[in-house]
Amino acid sequence: MSTDSAPAPQPTHDPSVERALNMLIETTHDLSRTLSLQDLMRKIVSRARDLVGSHLAWVTTRDDGSQVFRNLATEGHLSPGTERMTATIDRGAVSVVMATKSFFATQDYLSDPRFTHSDELDRQFRTERIMSLAGFPILSEGSVQGLLFVADRYARHYSGREVSVLGSFALHAGVAMRNAENFAQLTQALAE
């Protein structure tokens, strides 16, 4: 009877995981130092693109008292109409993210039957040649502050690791947005 056993598997070192985690940590620190809301929005979309290498990204927030989400910052777009995109709470990927308060991903947005399409939004996606899309809620204290989207112009499967990194990033973005809004309110109160 042999007491020899197979050696225990050694953990593999994946430099891409390490790079993504380091980038997420660096991004979190960067967001926490940004107190201008517009600068923060630009950083969020820029860093989201960098984290997963997407063609474009944007952040939307809901207009006060309405059911319309408007883009606050967009990066990587080809068409000026993409900066001005709006979506109602009951259409497109916005409706799925808002209903679930979770991420949504598709490899073929324009043919995806899981939501009611908006003619105007679909027209802009065709102009921009958006094919794949992933959307994440930006949460703060349980409520949706905004939505973060990354998109690509080819059929892309967003890996579990990419979804996890962007989901974590969206949570950090929610805290940073709340801090920036609190800072703006404090600044205004002091000025008055």
Side-chain angles (χ1 to χ4, degrees):
M1 179 183 218
S2 171
T3 58
D4 293 338
S5 61
Q10 297 297 312
T12 57
H13 177 73
D14 186 347
S16 65
V17 171
E18 188 175 316
R19 181 179 133 332
L21 289 174
N22 284 335
M23 187 179 279
L24 180 60
I25 291 166
E26 176 187 315
T27 297
T28 302
H29 288 287
D30 200 22
L31 291 184
S32 67
R33 291 189 302 262
T34 306
L35 292 175
S36 157
L37 195 56
Q38 194 55 47
D39 289 344
L40 179 64
M41 294 300 126
R42 284 193 291 269
K43 274 188 187 173
I44 289 170
V45 296
S46 179
R47 291 301 181 106
R49 281 184 71 205
D50 289 346
L51 284 169
V52 295
S54 284
H55 287 133
L56 63 157
W58 62 92
V59 172
T60 68
T61 60
R62 186 165 39 174
D63 283 348
D64 291 333
S66 81
Q67 301 297 306
V68 176
F69 279 83
R70 296 188 187 286
N71 285 8
L72 290 183
T74 308
E75 186 176 289
H77 57 287
L78 301 173
S79 166
T82 303
E83 288 181 299
R84 297 183 300 274
M85 282 190 307
T86 61
T88 57
I89 200 166
D90 63 340
R91 298 276 190 257
V94 167
S95 66
V96 179
V97 175
M98 287 300 293
T100 63
K101 288 190 179 178
S102 183
F103 80 93
F104 168 81
T106 180
Q107 292 183 50
D108 187 0
Y109 181 88
L110 292 170
S111 298
D112 199 313
R114 294 179 287 173
F115 52 84
T116 303
H117 285 263
S118 157
D119 292 340
E120 182 180 330
L121 196 55
D122 284 4
R123 191 169 29 258
Q124 189 58 42
F125 273 44
R126 279 188 200 90
T127 300
E128 193 65 57
R129 299 192 317 268
I130 293 171
M131 197 158 184
S132 301
L133 178 81
F136 301 84
I138 298 174
L139 299 169
S140 178
E141 298 176 352
S143 66
V144 177
Q145 291 271 109
L147 304 172
L148 170 64
F149 290 99
V150 294
D152 288 283
R153 296 181 179 98
Y154 64 96
R156 175 180 180 172
H157 170 75
Y158 298 97
S159 72
R161 183 176 56 220
E162 290 170 328
V163 167
S164 180
V165 166
L166 282 173
S168 296
F169 175 63
L171 290 174
H172 291 293
V175 172
M177 284 172 67
R178 188 179 69 232
N179 289 344
E181 288 168 355
N182 289 342
F183 180 75
Q185 289 171 356
L186 180 60
T187 302
Q188 182 178 356
L190 289 172
E192 291 173 359

